[in-house]
Amino acid sequence: AAGDALIVRTERGLEYGVADEGPKDVDQKAVKALKCPLKPVVRKATAEDALTWKSMQAKAEEALPVFKRMVAERGLDMHPVTVEFLFDGDKAIFYFEAEERVDFREL
């Protein structure tokens, strides 16, 4: 139902999300017109999942200052914006802005 917390599988891995709408019928033409395929809902999130998600958010908040420090120490011409940990904690995504292409492999 709308507002339910869910665990979904995406190209990036397992993610925590909240349903915008409840289930509804959609014709195949509309499904085929989507820019990317629909992703499966693995299950409805539990209270433990909500705690895990909050923990991943806290971990991301802790990682941002470290990311900023590492960028500054290396004198990279980029501006760190945010860090996101996926639900299972196996992957972190570091978002940044830069006017030009930046070689950040040493990070």
Side-chain angles (χ1 to χ4, degrees):
D4 283 349
L6 307 166
I7 303 300
V8 296
R9 183 168 307 284
T10 70
E11 295 92 7
R12 302 183 328 167
L14 288 181
E15 298 196 55
Y16 180 96
V18 177
D20 284 342
E21 298 180 20
K24 62 181 179 179
D25 290 327
V26 179
D27 65 31
Q28 286 302 311
K29 185 177 178 183
V31 172
K32 289 179 182 178
L34 294 171
K35 293 180 182 178
C36 61
L38 293 172
K39 305 298 182 253
V41 172
V42 175
R43 60 185 163 74
K44 202 170 178 179
T46 64
E48 185 177 319
D49 292 332
L51 290 174
T52 298
W53 180 65
K54 287 179 184 175
S55 171
M56 291 300 106
Q57 287 183 309
K59 195 172 178 179
E61 287 177 22
E62 293 171 8
L64 184 58
V66 175
F67 180 29
K68 288 180 178 181
R69 188 187 76 241
M70 292 174 72
V71 166
E73 287 172 352
R74 287 160 180 78
L76 297 173
D77 192 16
M78 61 193 292
H79 174 70
V81 176
T82 191
V83 179
E84 174 187 8
F85 278 84
L86 295 188
F87 177 74
D88 57 12
D90 287 346
K91 188 183 291 184
I93 302 168
F94 295 80
Y95 295 91
F96 64 91
E97 296 176 336
E99 291 291 324
E100 297 180 13
R101 198 166 174 84
V102 178
D103 182 358
F104 54 85
R105 290 178 288 188
E106 65 184 75
L107 288 177

